Every structure is written in C-alpha cells, then in structure tokens.
Amino acid sequence: MNGVTGRMGYRQHLLRSVLAINEQGGLTLADGSRVKLRPILVGRSEAKLADLAAKHDIPDYTTDLDAAIAEADVYFDAQVTQARVKAVLKAIEAGKHVYAEKPTAETVEEAVTLANAATAAGVKNGVVQDKLFLPGLLKLKRLIDGGFFGRILSVRGEFGYWVFEGDWQEAQRPSWNYRSQDGGGIILDMFPHWHYVLENLFGSVESVYAKAVTHIPTRVDEQGNSYEATADDAAYGIFELSGGIVAQINSSWAVRVNREELVEFQVDGTHGSAVAGLRNCRFQSRAGTPKPVWNPDLPVTHRFVDDWQYVPDNGEFDNGFKIQWEMFLRHVLEDAPFPYDFAAGARGVQLAQLGLQSSAEGRRVEVTSL
Ligand SMILES: NC(=O)c1ccc[n+]([C@@H]2O[C@H](COP(=O)([O-])OP(=O)(O)OC[C@H]3O[C@@H](n4cnc5c(N)ncnc54)[C@H](O)[C@@H]3O)[C@@H](O)[C@H]2O)c1
C-alpha cells in the first residue's frame, strides 16, 4: 500500500478498508473460506510509516518500493496523482495485480499506457470508483433499476464547499490540489468521478462543454507560505449522454454549501424526479408533483422542499471504499467480475482532459472511443 500517509491512503484505504476487513475476520470468498490481508506500508518517510505501523500494529513497512512490490501479491497506489504512473508500471512489470486511486494518470496517453500494460501482462487491474457505492447513489440506482423515472431527461449535479485559502484559517485540502504543475485542479480531480457516475447510472458520455475557472488566485500552503493557485478551483460542465440525457454538473471549491449534502444530483424523468446525495435520496413522483404558477406579485406560501419523500435504507450500507476493495480482492482471488478496470480509469482521465480542452478552446468537445 503506497501513499498510506496521505488523506485517502490512510483513512479510507488503510483504516476503513484493509484493516476493517481484517477486523471483521477477513474477506469471505464464494466457498465460505476467509482471507486475511497483510498490508505492507510503503512511502518516502520511514518515521511516518513507523508511526502508522506502531499505531495499528502492522509489522511490515518500508521505503523501498521495489522490495515491497517483489513481496506483494497486489500493489495499491494512493500517492499524489503525479507519482502514480511510474510506480504502477513497476508493479505491472513485476507481474503484480494493481489497484489504484483515481485519476489513474494525468494524461489520457499515460492512462491508456497503464491499461494496455496491465492487459498485456495479464494482471488484474482496478481503479477506485467509490461514489458508486455511496448509500445515496445506491438508492438512486435502486430507483433507476425499478423504473421509477420513466424516461430520464436530465441530471444536474452540484458538488463543492468552501476550501479555506489558508491565511486566516488553515486549508482543509492539500495545497498540491491548487497547482496544475503538481497534478492539481478540480477538473482532473472530479471529472473522473463524474465520468463513472454518469456512465454507470445513465449512459456513456458523448460530449463535454466545460468552463474551468481559478476563482481564488492566491492561497497559503502547509508551511504558511503564499503561493499562486495555477489550477482550476471550479468547473461548470455540460455533458451529453447516450439516449439524449443532458447532465450539467457544477464542481467548486469556492462555493458555500446551501444543500443537504456536499454533493447532490437531481434527476428528472417523465414519471418522477429524485435528488441523491452521499447518504440520502429524496424523490417526487408524477402524481405527487405540485403545479406552481409563476407570479412574482404573490409571496410563495407553498414549501416545495416539503413535497419530497426519502427513499428508505431497506438494508445496511458499508463503507464504499471497503465494498470496492472486497470486490477487487474477490476479482483477484476467485476471478469474480470487476468492471472498474484501468480502461474505465482511462475513460475518466479522458473526460478530464477533454474538459480542460473544451474550456481552453471555449467549445463543446466530442468524446471519442478510446
Ligand atoms: N476517491 C476519492 O474520493 C479521492 C478523494 C481525494 C483524493 N483522491 C486521490 O487520491 C490521491 C491522493 O490524494 P490525497 O488527498 O490523499 O493527497 P495527500 O496529499 O493527502 O496524500 C498524498 C500521498 O502521496 C505521497 N506523496 C506526496 N508527494 C509525493 C511525491 N512527490 N512522490 C511520491 N509520493 C508523494 C504523500 O506522502 C501521501 O502519502 C490523489 O491521486 C487524489 O486524486 C481520491
């Protein structure tokens, strides 16, 4: 596990996935047998790794990536995006199965190189697509699969929150996110997520128009030094999907939250609508749709937000990262299906790259098959 000292590597992948799987007694396979995982922590700082290892009683850690790869069955990468390709290629060359955070690379060329290398080497490969396993999106999927919407017309997504500039309050995201030369930018970060959400729930993405903006031009880093924010911190995107569905998604680290959740997708269909967030999903059916009449001379007395109902849980929802780890490990151990491969990862990187191109050229760009 490379990059475990980072935000995602530590909390979601080590703590909430790999260690959680062991705490529940291991991963259960189809034949009922259980497999425990032996993480090898890899990173650049021996001291940080030693701290983590001691804290969680993990015997194996090293700063020697080659040695770790030689010993491991699966290589996992949650490093900064820029460091990913080189390390993952090393693991593929050593014939190891590979699982990686998104985006798999900074450019389509590199992402495709990774996918092709993994296929040629015959190793199992997977990319993190955690949002698909969020309770809110699983409930939305339940509505789609149950035919609730009729014909789906449009999707509108709002993602974002205020990321502090770092001057009078510390920033809550690492500073590399705001420097394009370090692999930052909200399009490269979020469009890969939007790609797999749209592709898996609604249809393939056929075109993109995006406007990328850097709203906050100067920020203060972890050391208290002011730096120029060279990467986009907001992106306003329109995506045309197969079947004529139009998706419009705003992504921003310069917006104050006026929603129930940090991300929300409203889906409107001929027979009903729904608003899905991380945990919840509210819906309104055709029969329950009010009939507003536009009249600015009268005060609005009807509370439209009260017309929506919540989709019930009807079950327990586990951590999305952990669910996907279990799927990937079953894919490795017993060849269970796993559609979230490096080719899917490359399509996500492609949408990010085309989004940036669309913004730079000020035009709609078609998504070609990779
Ligand atoms: N799936 C998600 O929802 C999600 C959310 C946030 C980030 N991510 C992805 O996870 C990855 C890590 O993001 P993060 O927010 O955890 O970042 P982070 O800065 O907290 O962690 C980065 C990790 O990479 C290591 N690292 C930093 N610079 C490096 C370098 N030059 N060479 C090698 N290693 C280096 C750090 O030591 C740390 O372990 C990114 O690729 C990001 O796109 C995914």
Side-chain angles (χ1 to χ4, degrees):
M1 296 187 76
N2 197 0
V4 279
T5 58
R7 285 185 327 144
M8 301 311 293
Y10 178 60
R11 192 139 189 92
Q12 296 303 336
H13 295 290
L14 184 62
L15 281 196
R16 305 273 281 130
S17 298
V18 168
L19 295 183
I21 289 170
N22 281 347
E23 270 159 34
Q24 74 186 14
L27 170 77
T28 310
L29 298 182
D31 64 4
S33 61
R34 294 218 150 190
V35 178
K36 282 224 175 183
L37 310 173
R38 183 164 73 84
I40 306 171
L41 311 185
V42 191
R44 297 166 304 161
S45 159
E46 174 127 23
K48 282 190 194 164
L49 293 171
D51 272 357
L52 268 187
K55 193 166 165 197
H56 299 288
D57 217 7
I58 297 168
D60 302 292
Y61 65 89
T62 178
T63 54
D64 184 342
L65 177 61
D66 295 309
I69 287 176
E71 208 183 322
D73 299 307
V74 172
Y75 172 75
F76 171 70
D77 193 296
Q79 296 185 94
V80 287
T81 309
Q82 229 167 31
R84 182 123 59 242
V85 173
K86 201 171 142 214
V88 173
L89 276 178
K90 248 186 197 197
I92 293 172
E93 276 157 23
K96 304 304 168 116
H97 306 299
V98 282
Y99 186 41
E101 258 296 354
K102 51 49 62 183
T104 51
E106 284 181 284
T107 64
V108 186
E109 292 69 24
E110 286 176 312
V112 169
T113 299
L114 278 190
N116 287 341
T119 306
V123 299
K124 303 268 170 55
N125 52 98
V127 60
V128 174
Q129 300 197 339
D130 52 290
K131 307 290 175 268
L132 292 177
F133 307 96
L134 287 166
L137 291 200
L138 289 173
K139 289 173 188 171
L140 177 60
K141 178 86 169 51
R142 199 192 288 161
L143 294 183
I144 295 171
D145 292 347
F148 169 76
F149 292 104
R151 184 165 62 86
I152 294 179
L153 310 172
S154 64
V155 179
R156 57 199 75 203
E158 273 294 337
F159 162 83
Y161 46 93
W162 193 268
V163 175
F164 281 93
E165 299 88 327
D167 47 4
W168 68 292
Q169 288 191 53
E170 239 175 66
Q172 69 271 42
R173 291 180 61 82
S175 60
W176 65 263
N177 283 282
Y178 302 92
R179 292 187 295 264
S180 48
Q181 67 273 28
D182 292 337
I186 202 162
I187 285 196
L188 186 57
D189 191 30
M190 297 315 296
F191 277 28
H193 285 300
W194 305 153
H195 183 269
Y196 68 73
V197 167
L198 294 172
E199 179 178 78
N200 280 279
L201 266 62
F202 304 105
S204 56
V205 182
E206 294 183 339
S207 79
V208 53
Y209 169 76
K211 172 75 185 161
V213 191
T214 307
H215 286 304
I216 309 289
T218 311
R219 291 178 175 269
V220 174
D221 69 13
E222 292 79 0
Q223 284 72 43
N225 300 319
S226 167
Y227 66 95
E228 188 192 346
T230 47
D232 43 301
D233 58 13
Y236 306 89
I238 298 178
F239 310 88
E240 287 172 289
L241 312 185
S242 56
I245 299 173
V246 181
Q248 205 182 338
I249 306 180
N250 294 326
S251 317
S252 179
W253 289 316
V255 65
R256 296 186 175 85
V257 180
N258 180 9
R259 297 166 233 130
E260 279 193 11
E261 307 202 54
L262 296 190
V263 66
E264 283 185 347
F265 296 97
Q266 172 162 342
V267 180
D268 288 291
T270 49
H271 289 184
S273 299
V275 179
L278 303 171
R279 300 210 65 85
N280 292 323
C281 183
R282 329 192 272 289
F283 67 98
Q284 184 172 99
S285 65
R286 189 178 192 211
T289 307
K291 192 194 262 185
V293 177
W294 179 262
N295 186 349
D297 297 326
L298 291 178
V300 180
T301 50
H302 186 86
R303 281 187 52 83
F304 292 100
V305 288
D306 293 344
D307 292 330
W308 298 72
Q309 253 178 294
Y310 283 89
V311 176
D313 284 358
N314 290 357
E316 303 241 328
F317 295 100
D318 207 347
N319 177 286
F321 290 88
K322 176 166 166 262
I323 295 174
Q324 220 197 335
W325 263 95
E326 292 182 327
M327 287 179 77
F328 183 69
L329 292 169
R330 288 195 184 101
H331 180 52
V332 167
L333 291 163
E334 53 186 5
D335 217 17
F338 189 85
Y340 322 108
D341 58 8
F342 276 7
R347 293 196 293 279
V349 175
Q350 181 194 30
L351 188 65
Q353 193 164 311
L354 295 180
L356 287 166
Q357 183 192 335
S358 161
S359 182
E361 297 176 2
R363 67 179 184 93
R364 169 183 171 278
V365 177
E366 276 182 29
V367 178
T368 50
S369 170
L370 277 182

